[in-house]
Amino acid sequence: QAGLRAQALGTGSLSNIHFDDAPTNDARDFIAGAIAAGSLVNLLYLTMIRHGVLSATRLMYCTSTSMTETEIDAAVTAMHESLAELRPHIEQDWPALLR
């Protein structure tokens, strides 16, 4: 939706944002995406905090059964707003991540 070559990968209640839209088969593929994204990972992490959502610094998110639709909607909104805020920086510094 944000027009980025990115995806959420994970299993169960854990997911990571991965900046590549190619299939991720192993840790090497994941690391390659992290290297290509460079400091964008840190910028998104910090921007999400400003929008009220805390994750691991590597953009790992955890959902739990105690979360309601309200918390999940707030996290999705924070991600949309954070990526929109970072869009000019992505266009300038990481154009290869744009679709």
Side-chain angles (χ1 to χ4, degrees):
Q1 291 177 338
L4 294 176
R5 294 182 57 231
Q7 55 190 315
L9 301 173
T11 185
S13 65
L14 301 176
S15 61
N16 276 83
I17 303 299
H18 178 61
F19 288 100
D20 194 347
D21 57 0
T24 302
N25 300 307
D26 55 31
R28 281 180 223 161
D29 293 339
F30 191 84
I31 297 291
I35 290 169
S39 62
L40 177 57
V41 171
N42 292 329
L43 288 173
L44 182 54
Y45 166 73
L46 293 170
T47 305
M48 287 290 286
I49 290 173
R50 284 193 313 99
H51 286 272
V53 177
L54 180 64
S55 71
T57 56
R58 65 182 184 272
L59 300 178
M60 184 178 80
Y61 295 90
C62 179
T63 55
S64 75
T65 56
S66 65
M67 294 175 78
T68 67
E69 253 184 78
T70 301
E71 287 86 16
I72 293 171
D73 288 345
V76 170
T77 298
M79 181 63 73
H80 284 290
E81 291 173 353
S82 295
L83 290 173
E85 186 177 326
L86 293 173
R87 180 74 182 205
H89 302 291
I90 295 168
E91 290 172 350
Q92 180 179 332
D93 297 331
W94 301 280
L97 294 179
L98 299 172
R99 285 193 181 162

